Amino acid sequence: MSGDAPVQPRDGLRELTGYHSPQLDVAVRLNTNESPYPPPPGFVSAWLDALGGVPLNRYPDRAARDLRTALARHLGQPVERLFCANGSNEVLQTLLLTYGGAGRRAAVFEPTYALHSHIARITGTEVVVGERREDFTIDPSAAAQLVEDAQPSVVFACSPNNPTGTVEPSATIEALLGATAGLVVVDEAYGEFAGDTAMSLVGDDGRLVVARTYSKVWSMAALRLGFCVAPPAVVEELEKVVLPYHLAVPTQLAGLLALRFGGEMEARVELLVRERGRLVEALGAFESLTVYPSGANFVLVRVAGDAHGLWERLVERGVLVRDFSSWPRLEGCLRVTVGTSDENDAFVAALRGALQEVAA
Ligand SMILES: *Cc1c(COP(=O)(O)O)cnc(C)c1O
């Protein structure tokens, strides 16, 4: 394929495969962990009104001061600890551009969010892989050993972990912090669904960074806004590395105005947590499924039998979930995003039909 291309990309990039999460046009899409609810209408009109008054010939505030100040207040953190970017993926990329790179290593614990190792490789950072336990938790002492041996500059933990839903106890994060001389980055893209956070462990002189996103919890995946809470010295370095004016005015305004609708956003989170409970209970009734505990807005199941065949039968019934069955360490696994109660009912009904068909 690329052998015919006139110019080759840098060594180390050729063997990368792009990030794909296939989209299909079906009625019930439960494959990308988006919120099934749009943001509150009041937010959308406040945002559109504010956009109307913006001088479009001027660059945005490079320091995103208003947004960072409001977020800091919302989180009970000093503003100097806030770094904002285009989705938390850009936060992760900026962290790796700053603290990773040639001759440096990043540690991940698989199976986990694929973009941690993917972005690491793109930035020339070597990836060191630790294994999770059978129940998908990180073994703190094995992890500490790996970190002591490999001396990574960045250690990733994801809590709740995507795609397994596993919530990591803070003792594990503290074990990682104790073992490494590098940064520990806790990706909390789903943190609000767990109610558990490592944010209180972030200190001005520490090495802990907590990354979050508006994409899932705040129903704003289209707007691309993420942030991290980090020691001020880290934030200063990130600001040097990230492109100037990377955060467009509509994004900054959206982040600022959404915070006024915190109550409505929290109600959505509570609704999804309740639906997750209902979904886990319904899934538990199927004998051929192993259901993993989840602190996120999705649930991972392991199927006894042909998981990809089951995924296809669900698609035939108009339901799209995420097929992880061909991924290492996730043999037989499918991940379903928590949708509206109607969508979850449709999924469970489709699953019942599909499993009966497989068994017949
Ligand atoms: C979705 C996701 C992200 C990235 O989200 P953005 O849309 O870039 O903010 C980061 N980490 C994890 C674990 C995710 O699942």
Side-chain angles (χ1 to χ4, degrees), residues 6-7 18 24 74 85 181 201 212 214 223 244 247 272 283 298 333 344 347:
V7 181
L24 295 173
H74 174 75
L201 301 175
R212 290 221 171 159
Y214 276 65
L223 286 162
L247 211 54
L272 288 170
L283 290 169
F298 56 81
C333 287
N344 301 331
F347 162 66

Side-chain angles (χ1 to χ4, degrees), residues 24-30 311-321 343 346-347 350-351:
L24 295 173
D25 194 14
V26 296
V28 180
R29 275 176 26 183
L30 302 175
W311 179 86
E312 283 178 334
R313 285 182 167 83
L314 288 170
V315 171
E316 282 164 17
R317 288 168 168 80
V319 178
L320 181 61
V321 300
E343 287 176 326
F347 162 66
L351 184 64

